[in-house]
Amino acid sequence: MWGENNSSALNSRFDHKNNTVCNINASPPQRAAALVAAMTMDEKLVNLVDHSLGAERLGLPKYDWWSEALHGVAFSPGVHFSTNGEFSSATSFPNPITLSAAFDDALVEAAAGIIGSEARAFANAGKAGLDFWTPNINPFKDPRWGRGLETPGEDPLRIANYVKHLIKGLEGTEDTRQVIATCKHYAAYDLERWNGVVRYAFDAIVSMQDLVEYYLPPFRQCARDSNVGSIMCSYNSVNGTPACANSYLMQTVLREHWGWTKDNNYIVSDCNAVHNIYADHHWLKNAAQAAGAALTAGTDNVCEAGGWSTDVVGAYNQSLARKAVVDKALERQYEGLVRAGYFDPAQLDPYRSLGWSSVNTKKADSLARQSAVDGIVMLKNDGILPMRFGKNQSIAVIGMWANDTKTRMLGNYNGRPPFYRTPLYAAQQLGLKVNYADGPVKDTGNFTTALNAAKASDVIFYFGGIDVSIESEDLDRTTITWPESQLSLLRSLSALGKPIVVIQLGTQVDNTPLLNNNIISAILWTGYPGMYGGPAVFDIITGAKAPAGRLPITQYPGNYTTRVPMTDMDLKPSAKNPGRTYKWFDGAVQPFGFGLHYTNFTRNPPVFQSNLLLAECMLPHLDLCPFPPIPVIVTNTGSHTSDFVALAFISTTQGPAPHPIKELASYKRLRGIAPGQQREVELEMRWGDLARVDGNGNTVLYSGAYCLGLDVPERERLCFEVLGGDIVLDFWPKVGGGGNGMVRV
Amino acid sequence: MWGENNSSALNSRFDHKNNTVCNINASPPQRAAALVAAMTMDEKLVNLVDHSLGAERLGLPKYDWWSEALHGVAFSPGVHFSTNGEFSSATSFPNPITLSAAFDDALVEAAAGIIGSEARAFANAGKAGLDFWTPNINPFKDPRWGRGLETPGEDPLRIANYVKHLIKGLEGTEDTRQVIATCKHYAAYDLERWNGVVRYAFDAIVSMQDLVEYYLPPFRQCARDSNVGSIMCSYNSVNGTPACANSYLMQTVLREHWGWTKDNNYIVSDCNAVHNIYADHHWLKNAAQAAGAALTAGTDNVCEAGGWSTDVVGAYNQSLARKAVVDKALERQYEGLVRAGYFDPAQLDPYRSLGWSSVNTKKADSLARQSAVDGIVMLKNDGILPMRFGKNQSIAVIGMWANDTKTRMLGNYNGRPPFYRTPLYAAQQLGLKVNYADGPVKDTGNFTTALNAAKASDVIFYFGGIDVSIESEDLDRTTITWPESQLSLLRSLSALGKPIVVIQLGTQVDNTPLLNNNIISAILWTGYPGMYGGPAVFDIITGAKAPAGRLPITQYPGNYTTRVPMTDMDLKPSAKNPGRTYKWFDGAVQPFGFGLHYTNFTRNPPVFQSNLLLAECMLPHLDLCPFPPIPVIVTNTGSHTSDFVALAFISTTQGPAPHPIKELASYKRLRGIAPGQQREVELEMRWGDLARVDGNGNTVLYSGAYCLGLDVPERERLCFEVLGGDIVLDFWPKVGGGGNGMVRV
């Protein structure tokens, strides 16, 4: 059995009182160094691995470095949930992909604060370590990646801000750390198993530009800007060198360039990543060499999950890791624990009082529900949502996670939540007449129960998508379309002609068939919403809450997987790569940042009161009445005298659908602009240039939002609001008696 | 032989002095009515056709209504160029597709003023009629249409403004019209011959919305807003009724709804369009019925080109066109001529003094050259243009129109220009060493001469594209790609590795292979530039003038022709139609409005002086230094309280290519915005969010233009300029000695 932390120094109190490690007046480096100095080499060598044995002679307890808390305290070797009673559960927030979709860093910090408090309460009770191997911040570049759900998505800025606030929440803002966060996996790790290539042996070939611009910014935030307690090196190689033996990444970049040495922060290897250095990468020949290379390159703690030995002892004995390296690694580890209060008296540790009463608090409960709500992204709505349920209304609640008892909503790296609120539960709580049926994930089943439930109902709520049986650690996807079994069920349900609302679990799949299906009235994306998934969804459905989340990832078309191998790390488009993420790929089904609302937002719009302005116009034809001119200033910043054509295109979604992409509204050729010269022009429009023609031929000026896009390609977009109601600028003559009125004489 | 206008009343003077038609104190309607009242029915019936016989008894001369002046006085039945000497030539401006590309309505008016003066000079000399069947204003909706070159392009607003200024130029602004313009072809005419369907029999099925929104606005400009003298009805049917028998279009819309009865303006039929009513549309049974229907529906003059009789006499005799209809048609025709001074004494006609000295003036000459220059659109330039030619520099001038003697640059409906300046001529005028070779249009030829010319030269100028042997009246295209023979020659030329500049004749073809070919350094599109095409091109090449034209049409991908039949008149996308024009089709190779410059223009940009702002920043890492915050105001204009995520994406073309589409720069979730509530937020960015990473990993803030796009989909775009030079925000550590520095221990 893996190490337990119930003999943690936090409770048993490290008893070698004379050692400076317990002297709270000494500096953390001094305290850590004193402890290491007191250890024999034999004692040292059994404390460089995740399941550290401690030193009985010194009263240093065993310590398991492997605790997890991705979206709440989570099952892991270092964490021990009791079977029942105290510490039998912890709050389960949405997975990062969902929490990120809320695009609210204060929310991230608040949730992380609760996770950190609960984690520290577990640690204080000897039910967990003080360090947690979270967050997972590799940018979710490829939609196939099985661990994308563990991340805040595909954008490095979004991830960096997310992790900044997450670390603040987890580690706290006191001098003593609440817990130690571990940013993983450093670096360029985003492949599990694809086409025979496994993460343990994969060599990620990354250009320096992509590395610095895309793969590293989240880690720079952790190291340079947030001074996180710990970082984990990853399984893969980067440009030929295994990450956990990569002195350039760990020493040159992380510690030297980013100055992550202000504290003696430590690096932990992913589990067996040091073993992989020789056994899978074949970069070295044996376990001792691998351990020596890893420790010497900057790895401070070797995770040996699964019982593989990485032979730290051999590395030392064969002089592959010298004493100074061993001591430095231990000093870093123990300084981490010192800074987390591990060796302090309880009364001086601001977090030591956290206990079972700090777990599953009302605040945690309400924040878990709010996070799940806030992370929901509405991808389609024809107006069916929000839905006011009438008396006696019957609804079908169908699908693989509608009444899931398999913790599907918890995603990856979950713990045991205090309860688990399914959609079915939430629907029943609303007092509705609910007809429930299970649904398939991948395999085609019998649809009879589902169809009967639907037939007995007024509206169909379908809870489908994908789950961790399709995407998870060690399991990359090969397709990113909907499972055919579910499409088949949706087709059968659609044939009933009753409105369908799809509520979608998992990261993105190509929703094209659902978006094109008019019977499917709405789509809500939930990602992995955690223990409050069911009520959160119905908070949105009923309109108790309004959706405002945005996709933190691109929704790629299904054929994307055929267009670039997962092993291709290039971000930019090329002949064999259509480009990756919204930054370089513009063929999204629905783009990064997409999300619908129940209401309409306009931004900073100038407002034009059409009825008043038109009332002032004396022209016989209202479409010719002038719109207030748009001033545009153009500067020639180049070195040739030149004319310039100022073009302005109007676009709107007012008036009859479909709507044109844009329509030319004004233009003016400015002549002979000299280098450095500035020229102002007032672009003239008429109200008719904003109008649309309806099905009867009437020219109508519709109230609402308009934007004026300047130039081709567009350089600038001026948006404004037209108020005053829909005004017919020209009543079109009706065709006469003879059918279309174009009668023969 | 078709009618001559050399016995025009303008010179011979209508001698029935007692008839009120010559009484300048009577109103134009009174004068026209008096003339008609004096005619016998036999006399009337021979004056309702283009080749009107006049009335010898009354001294009314023959009159040929068919004169042309699309881009200069043009060959046509009513126009007579002398073999040499006076009236043997007239100024040839660019075709409308090129003149439109200049996007300068003042230029259109100036050119049309000259065309009108020269046309009137021809008329005064008895070498032309007073009415001209120009402009052609059917929107150029389908790239295959053979007559697109005659039009100002695909956008109804562009066409309407073009024609507004064109009519002003042609007809003049005096009480007496300089000439009578004829807006054609009314309506929904844009197909010649496609897949067995011919224009004479084609029934254009058009929705009311498309009709009013797209097909008619140019005609509304002519009729309602410009009170043009004449309109021509078209060959095709519209929704089942031949246009020239279409009382809804001609009476209800044109005359009643648009009020085109202020003057008794007249409608002329396209040539044989009345014959087509029975012979091709089979809408009626014989010539008399067709003539009766046309006249009764509102056609006033029947063009009988080619000798087909449309039996106006039979129509009257069979009571299919009643006396009142005949009289009204004649009154309209003659009121048109009255208003053009046809029956006035010379001294009272402000334009009667125009003569041969008013043709081919210096002003006309310089405007023809300027128009050709201004209509050129630069589609590609890697920096080769403008080109400063050195001493002894040799250039190859190759291609089908490089030394064309076949009037290719004149396009359609041309006259005889006073001279014809080819590219070869212009190159030689520059004093360059020129190696000339012809080139193919469609058929593959022998490339030896071309390759030899290229081999002997430093730079290759290739004058290719398409001409009126590929696109013209009665000749729609079936493909819109480059002729394979020319691509083949261009490949052979490219293999020489010398820079190539392509100068392109014709409307648009899919330039993808040229855009993707790095040897082709630049592409200049000329459309049909008229008699000054050669010098105009070299004005641009040498930088004497800078290109500023914009495409007035979409450059469609080659496969577009397989995606929608020409007969489909719908503008909007559907299952069988990818959408038409830039308004509805977003897959352009190069879009409507596209055009490059020699210089850079920035528009109204706020300027940020990065060096000064960064100098004030005290943070240790420059990338973290704050950028001035962007204030954004959001208003909930809907009816639900909702959160809103404000998203801002940065985009730039500064820094290393390729450039990302956009990158997330800032976001903020605004909570609980009530209906009607306004909320202001300052979006925060750091200078690092504007930076790019170079190939060495350095993070660089590049000077130049940036835009901040708000929301997904984008609602607003704020652009600004960063000055202060390129600044390295973070120098990235170099990899060490061992190759990539990630060395084994």
Side-chain angles (χ1 to χ4, degrees):
Chain A
M1 178 186 172
W2 284 95
E4 297 204 359
N5 283 317
N6 57 6
S7 55
S8 156
L10 285 165
N11 282 346
S12 69
R13 311 307 325 122
F14 185 59
D15 55 5
H16 200 59
K17 300 287 184 198
N18 291 332
N19 190 292
T20 304
V21 77
C22 293
N23 177 358
I24 58 164
N25 295 319
S27 72
Q30 288 171 332
R31 294 172 69 181
L35 174 58
V36 174
M39 296 166 84
T40 67
M41 185 50 71
D42 285 348
E43 285 167 345
K44 289 175 183 174
L45 296 177
V46 296
N47 282 291
L48 286 165
V49 294
D50 57 317
H51 187 44
S52 286
L53 297 181
E56 203 171 354
R57 180 182 64 87
L58 298 171
L60 181 71
K62 293 191 288 182
Y63 183 83
D64 196 312
W65 291 88
W66 185 358
S67 294
E68 299 279 0
L70 178 66
H71 53 105
V73 179
F75 296 121
S76 46
V79 170
H80 301 278
F81 282 94
S82 305
T83 313
N84 49 51
E86 294 194 354
F87 297 103
S88 60
S89 66
T91 306
S92 178
F93 286 91
N95 275 233
I97 199 69
T98 300
L99 187 56
S100 178
F103 275 87
D104 188 334
D105 293 329
L107 179 67
V108 172
E109 191 172 325
I114 285 167
I115 294 168
S117 297
E118 297 197 354
R120 183 60 183 275
F122 271 67
N124 288 341
K127 311 292 285 183
L130 270 175
D131 73 293
F132 290 82
W133 292 356
T134 190
N136 180 348
I137 56 170
N138 297 109
F140 185 8
K141 174 195 72 201
D142 192 301
R144 290 164 285 196
W145 188 31
R147 301 185 73 177
L149 64 142
E150 300 176 28
T151 77
E154 75 187 31
D155 182 73
L157 178 90
R158 175 77 199 102
I159 303 172
N161 287 349
Y162 181 102
V163 79
K164 173 182 175 179
H165 290 83
L166 186 93
I167 291 171
K168 225 163 140 187
L170 287 175
E171 297 195 338
T173 53
E174 306 284 343
D175 281 345
T176 300
R177 282 183 171 129
Q178 181 166 252
V179 295
I180 301 165
T182 302
C183 291
K184 67 190 184 186
H185 313 80
Y186 186 67
Y189 166 63
D190 58 10
L191 174 148
E192 303 297 300
R193 187 178 289 277
W194 181 84
N195 202 23
V197 179
V198 297
R199 54 181 174 165
Y200 309 119
F202 176 53
D203 183 12
I205 304 301
V206 184
S207 75
M208 197 59 98
Q209 193 181 28
D210 282 343
L211 188 71
V212 182
E213 198 161 60
Y214 187 74
Y215 292 101
L216 293 192
F219 293 97
R220 183 181 60 203
Q221 177 66 46
C222 289
R224 190 189 76 174
D225 301 324
S226 290
N227 190 35
V228 72
S230 171
I231 283 176
M232 179 183 286
C233 56
S234 61
Y235 287 121
N236 55 293
S237 288
V238 178
N239 296 333
T241 304
C244 289
N246 200 314
S247 64
Y248 177 72
L249 286 178
M250 292 193 288
Q251 184 62 27
T252 309
V253 174
L254 191 57
R255 290 197 159 109
E256 293 171 15
H257 187 62
W258 287 338
W260 191 54
T261 48
K262 199 175 68 178
D263 301 341
N264 279 309
N265 299 306
Y266 64 89
I267 298 173
V268 61
S269 83
D270 206 343
C271 290
N272 293 328
V274 174
H275 169 79
N276 303 142
I277 290 172
Y278 77 94
D280 299 88
H281 291 296
H282 306 300
W283 195 73
L284 291 170
K285 295 203 166 53
N286 58 49
Q289 286 181 355
L295 290 165
T296 305
T299 305
D300 302 304
N301 188 285
V302 177
C303 179
E304 295 179 314
W308 298 100
S309 168
T310 34
D311 206 2
V312 169
V313 175
Y316 176 76
N317 289 339
Q318 297 168 41
S319 298
L320 300 169
R322 299 203 283 192
K323 177 173 179 293
V325 166
V326 168
D327 286 353
K328 187 69 187 167
L330 289 167
E331 283 164 16
R332 286 174 180 151
Q333 291 184 185
Y334 290 123
E335 184 171 330
L337 291 181
V338 165
R339 289 182 181 279
Y342 189 69
F343 300 100
D344 290 348
Q347 65 275 20
L348 292 180
D349 178 346
Y351 299 109
R352 197 70 61 83
S353 60
L354 293 169
W356 176 240
S357 66
S358 308
V359 180
N360 301 322
T361 61
K362 275 195 180 166
K363 187 178 156 201
D365 181 85
S366 97
L367 209 61
R369 183 163 179 163
Q370 187 197 329
S371 307
V373 167
D374 289 356
I376 288 173
V377 183
M378 187 160 71
L379 300 180
K380 181 180 185 181
N381 186 18
D382 66 5
I384 195 173
L385 298 183
M387 198 178 285
R388 311 286 179 214
F389 292 107
K391 294 267 178 205
N392 300 320
Q393 191 156 11
S394 62
I395 67 171
V397 171
I398 297 172
M400 58 105 161
W401 66 285
N403 193 31
D404 164 50
T405 53
K406 294 172 187 159
T407 71
R408 283 193 169 107
M409 298 191 299
L410 304 185
N412 253 5
Y413 282 90
N414 59 290
R416 186 190 299 129
F419 45 75
Y420 184 69
R421 301 292 188 230
T422 67
L424 178 59
Y425 167 89
Q428 287 165 337
Q429 289 296 107
L430 290 173
L432 298 170
K433 193 180 155 203
V434 181
N435 301 299
Y436 163 74
D438 198 2
V441 184
K442 286 179 285 196
D443 306 323
T444 305
N446 184 339
F447 298 160
T448 313
T449 318
L451 288 169
N452 285 341
K455 285 175 191 163
S457 306
D458 301 322
V459 191
I460 302 164
F461 292 92
Y462 178 75
F463 294 82
I466 57 176
D467 65 13
V468 292
S469 73
I470 290 179
E471 56 172 352
S472 60
E473 185 160 3
D474 206 33
L475 183 60
D476 290 329
R477 284 191 278 170
T478 51
T479 62
I480 55 170
T481 50
W482 275 76
E484 182 50 38
S485 57
Q486 293 193 52
L487 287 180
S488 175
L489 174 52
L490 280 169
R491 282 191 293 271
S492 299
L493 291 171
S494 298
L496 302 178
K498 300 179 178 187
I500 301 174
V501 176
V502 173
I503 306 97
Q504 200 177 344
L505 202 74
T507 64
Q508 291 298 295
V509 288
D510 179 352
N511 276 340
T512 304
L514 281 66
L515 294 167
N516 290 344
N517 179 341
N518 289 335
I519 298 291
I520 295 178
S521 290
I523 304 174
L524 296 174
W525 176 82
T526 65
Y528 292 90
M531 70 186 196
Y532 257 122
V537 166
F538 277 94
D539 281 349
I540 296 286
I541 288 172
T542 59
K545 303 286 179 184
R550 303 297 189 102
L551 287 183
I553 38 177
T554 300
Q555 185 185 125
Y556 292 88
N559 70 2
Y560 186 86
T561 55
T562 67
R563 297 176 64 193
V564 59
M566 268 197 88
T567 46
D568 186 338
M569 300 297 285
D570 285 348
L571 272 290
K572 298 175 187 59
S574 67
K576 52 194 175 124
N577 181 342
R580 291 170 167 289
T581 82
Y582 76 93
K583 298 187 181 204
W584 300 100
F585 176 71
D586 64 1
V589 177
Q590 293 190 311
F592 177 93
F594 185 82
L596 303 174
H597 298 94
Y598 284 161
T599 188
N600 297 314
F601 286 101
T602 60
R603 200 184 281 100
N604 200 14
V607 168
F608 297 98
Q609 200 71 35
S610 59
N611 48 351
L612 303 181
L613 289 164
L614 284 167
E616 292 168 3
C617 171
M618 294 292 113
L619 295 176
H621 305 292
L622 289 178
D623 57 298
L624 298 181
C625 291
F627 187 83
I630 308 291
V632 171
I633 301 174
V634 171
T635 307
N636 184 343
T637 57
S639 54
H640 294 81
T641 294
S642 177
D643 295 358
F644 180 78
V645 175
L647 291 170
F649 294 87
I650 199 86
S651 61
T652 184
T653 53
Q654 307 307 316
H659 304 95
I661 299 162
K662 61 179 184 178
E663 302 196 273
L664 187 65
S666 189
Y667 56 86
K668 180 78 185 166
R669 186 166 176 133
L670 310 176
R671 293 196 165 269
I673 309 175
Q677 199 187 341
Q678 185 169 300
R679 191 75 64 79
E680 181 160 0
V681 61
E682 295 214 311
L683 288 177
E684 289 170 3
M685 291 194 300
R686 301 158 305 184
W687 283 98
D689 298 327
L690 277 65
R692 293 290 314 285
V693 174
D694 71 14
N696 296 322
N698 300 314
T699 300
V700 185
L701 174 66
Y702 292 92
S703 271
Y706 290 77
C707 288
L708 206 62
L710 300 181
D711 212 351
V712 175
E714 188 176 290
R715 303 174 182 231
E716 202 171 335
R717 175 165 280 247
L718 311 167
C719 297
F720 55 88
E721 187 85 5
V722 172
L723 301 180
D726 299 346
I727 298 174
V728 179
L729 301 183
D730 184 50
F731 283 101
W732 191 247
K734 290 201 168 35
V735 289
N740 65 359
M742 306 177 186
V743 290
R744 307 182 193 206
V745 291
Chain B
M1 176 185 172
W2 282 97
E4 299 203 358
N5 283 319
N6 58 5
S7 56
S8 153
L10 284 166
N11 283 346
S12 69
R13 314 304 330 120
F14 186 61
D15 55 5
H16 201 58
K17 302 288 187 197
N18 291 335
N19 192 291
T20 303
V21 77
C22 293
N23 179 357
I24 58 164
N25 295 319
S27 71
Q30 287 171 332
R31 295 171 68 180
L35 174 59
V36 175
M39 296 166 82
T40 66
M41 185 51 71
D42 284 348
E43 286 167 342
K44 291 175 182 174
L45 295 177
V46 297
N47 282 291
L48 286 166
V49 294
D50 56 317
H51 188 45
S52 286
L53 297 180
E56 206 169 355
R57 178 181 67 86
L58 298 171
L60 181 71
K62 294 191 290 186
Y63 182 84
D64 196 313
W65 292 88
W66 184 359
S67 294
E68 298 280 359
L70 178 66
H71 53 105
V73 178
F75 297 121
S76 47
V79 171
H80 302 277
F81 282 94
S82 305
T83 312
N84 49 50
E86 294 194 351
F87 298 102
S88 61
S89 67
T91 306
S92 178
F93 286 90
N95 276 236
I97 198 71
T98 300
L99 187 56
S100 178
F103 276 87
D104 187 335
D105 293 329
L107 180 67
V108 172
E109 190 171 326
I114 284 168
I115 295 169
S117 297
E118 297 197 354
R120 184 61 183 278
F122 271 67
N124 288 341
K127 311 291 283 182
L130 270 175
D131 73 295
F132 290 82
W133 291 357
T134 190
N136 180 346
I137 56 170
N138 297 108
F140 186 6
K141 174 195 71 200
D142 192 300
R144 291 164 285 196
W145 189 32
R147 300 185 74 176
L149 64 142
E150 300 176 27
T151 76
E154 75 188 31
D155 181 75
L157 178 89
R158 176 77 199 99
I159 303 173
N161 286 349
Y162 181 105
V163 79
K164 172 182 176 180
H165 290 84
L166 186 96
I167 291 171
K168 223 164 143 188
L170 288 175
E171 297 197 337
T173 53
E174 306 283 345
D175 281 347
T176 301
R177 283 185 170 127
Q178 182 167 251
V179 296
I180 300 165
T182 303
C183 291
K184 67 190 185 188
H185 314 79
Y186 187 67
Y189 165 63
D190 57 10
L191 175 148
E192 302 296 299
R193 187 178 288 276
W194 181 85
N195 201 24
V197 178
V198 298
R199 55 181 173 167
Y200 310 119
F202 176 52
D203 182 12
I205 303 301
V206 184
S207 76
M208 197 59 99
Q209 193 181 27
D210 283 342
L211 188 72
V212 181
E213 198 162 60
Y214 187 74
Y215 293 102
L216 293 191
F219 293 97
R220 182 182 60 202
Q221 177 66 46
C222 289
R224 190 190 74 173
D225 300 323
S226 290
N227 189 35
V228 72
S230 171
I231 283 175
M232 178 184 286
C233 55
S234 60
Y235 288 121
N236 55 292
S237 287
V238 178
N239 296 335
T241 303
C244 290
N246 201 313
S247 65
Y248 177 72
L249 286 178
M250 293 193 288
Q251 184 62 26
T252 309
V253 174
L254 190 58
R255 291 194 158 109
E256 291 171 13
H257 187 63
W258 286 339
W260 192 55
T261 47
K262 197 175 70 177
D263 301 339
N264 279 310
N265 299 305
Y266 63 90
I267 298 172
V268 60
S269 82
D270 206 342
C271 291
N272 293 329
V274 174
H275 169 78
N276 302 143
I277 290 172
Y278 76 95
D280 299 271
H281 290 295
H282 307 298
W283 195 74
L284 290 169
K285 294 205 167 51
N286 58 46
Q289 286 180 356
L295 290 165
T296 305
T299 304
D300 302 304
N301 186 286
V302 176
C303 178
E304 294 180 316
W308 297 101
S309 167
T310 34
D311 207 3
V312 168
V313 176
Y316 176 77
N317 289 339
Q318 296 168 43
S319 299
L320 300 170
R322 301 205 280 191
K323 177 172 177 296
V325 165
V326 167
D327 287 352
K328 187 70 187 167
L330 288 167
E331 283 164 15
R332 287 174 179 150
Q333 292 184 185
Y334 291 124
E335 183 170 331
L337 291 180
V338 164
R339 290 183 180 277
Y342 190 71
F343 300 100
D344 290 346
Q347 66 273 20
L348 291 181
D349 179 344
Y351 300 107
R352 195 70 62 83
S353 60
L354 293 171
W356 176 238
S357 66
S358 309
V359 181
N360 302 323
T361 61
K362 276 194 180 168
K363 187 179 157 201
D365 182 84
S366 95
L367 209 61
R369 183 164 179 161
Q370 186 197 328
S371 306
V373 168
D374 290 355
I376 289 174
V377 183
M378 187 159 71
L379 299 180
K380 182 182 185 181
N381 186 20
D382 65 7
I384 196 173
L385 298 183
M387 198 178 286
R388 311 289 180 209
F389 292 108
K391 294 267 177 202
N392 302 318
Q393 190 156 10
S394 63
I395 67 170
V397 171
I398 297 172
M400 59 105 162
W401 64 286
N403 193 30
D404 164 50
T405 54
K406 294 172 186 156
T407 71
R408 283 195 169 107
M409 298 190 300
L410 304 185
N412 252 6
Y413 281 89
N414 59 290
R416 186 189 298 127
F419 46 75
Y420 183 68
R421 301 291 188 230
T422 68
L424 178 59
Y425 168 88
Q428 288 165 337
Q429 290 296 107
L430 290 173
L432 297 170
K433 193 178 154 203
V434 180
N435 301 299
Y436 163 73
D438 198 2
V441 184
K442 284 179 286 196
D443 305 325
T444 305
N446 183 337
F447 298 158
T448 312
T449 319
L451 287 170
N452 285 341
K455 283 174 191 164
S457 306
D458 301 323
V459 191
I460 303 164
F461 292 92
Y462 179 76
F463 293 82
I466 57 176
D467 66 12
V468 294
S469 72
I470 290 178
E471 55 172 354
S472 60
E473 186 160 1
D474 206 33
L475 182 60
D476 290 329
R477 283 191 278 170
T478 52
T479 62
I480 55 172
T481 49
W482 275 78
E484 182 51 37
S485 57
Q486 294 193 54
L487 287 181
S488 175
L489 173 53
L490 280 169
R491 279 191 295 269
S492 299
L493 292 171
S494 299
L496 301 178
K498 300 178 179 189
I500 301 174
V501 177
V502 173
I503 305 96
Q504 198 175 345
L505 202 75
T507 64
Q508 290 298 293
V509 288
D510 179 353
N511 276 339
T512 303
L514 281 68
L515 294 167
N516 289 344
N517 179 342
N518 289 334
I519 298 291
I520 295 177
S521 290
I523 304 175
L524 296 174
W525 176 83
T526 66
Y528 293 90
M531 69 187 195
Y532 257 122
V537 166
F538 276 93
D539 282 349
I540 296 286
I541 287 172
T542 60
K545 303 285 181 185
R550 304 297 189 102
L551 287 183
I553 39 177
T554 299
Q555 185 183 126
Y556 292 87
N559 69 1
Y560 187 84
T561 54
T562 66
R563 298 176 63 193
V564 58
M566 269 196 86
T567 46
D568 185 339
M569 301 297 285
D570 284 348
L571 272 291
K572 297 174 188 59
S574 66
K576 52 194 177 132
N577 181 342
R580 292 170 168 289
T581 83
Y582 77 92
K583 297 186 182 204
W584 300 100
F585 175 70
D586 64 1
V589 177
Q590 293 190 311
F592 176 92
F594 184 82
L596 303 174
H597 299 93
Y598 285 161
T599 188
N600 297 314
F601 287 102
T602 59
R603 199 182 285 100
N604 201 15
V607 168
F608 297 98
Q609 200 74 33
S610 58
N611 49 350
L612 303 182
L613 289 165
L614 285 167
E616 292 169 5
C617 171
M618 294 292 114
L619 294 177
H621 305 292
L622 289 177
D623 58 296
L624 298 180
C625 291
F627 187 84
I630 308 290
V632 171
I633 301 173
V634 171
T635 308
N636 184 342
T637 57
S639 54
H640 294 82
T641 294
S642 178
D643 295 357
F644 180 78
V645 175
L647 290 171
F649 294 86
I650 199 87
S651 62
T652 183
T653 55
Q654 307 307 315
H659 303 95
I661 300 162
K662 60 179 183 178
E663 302 196 272
L664 186 64
S666 190
Y667 56 86
K668 180 80 185 166
R669 186 166 177 134
L670 310 175
R671 292 195 165 271
I673 308 175
Q677 199 188 341
Q678 185 170 299
R679 189 77 62 80
E680 182 161 0
V681 61
E682 296 215 312
L683 289 177
E684 291 170 3
M685 291 194 297
R686 302 157 305 180
W687 282 98
D689 297 328
L690 277 67
R692 291 292 313 286
V693 174
D694 70 14
N696 297 319
N698 300 314
T699 301
V700 186
L701 174 66
Y702 294 92
S703 270
Y706 290 77
C707 288
L708 205 63
L710 300 181
D711 213 351
V712 175
E714 188 177 288
R715 303 174 180 230
E716 201 170 339
R717 176 166 277 249
L718 311 167
C719 297
F720 55 89
E721 187 86 4
V722 172
L723 302 179
D726 298 347
I727 298 174
V728 179
L729 301 182
D730 185 50
F731 283 101
W732 191 246
K734 290 201 167 35
V735 289
N740 66 0
M742 306 177 187
V743 291
R744 306 183 193 202
V745 290

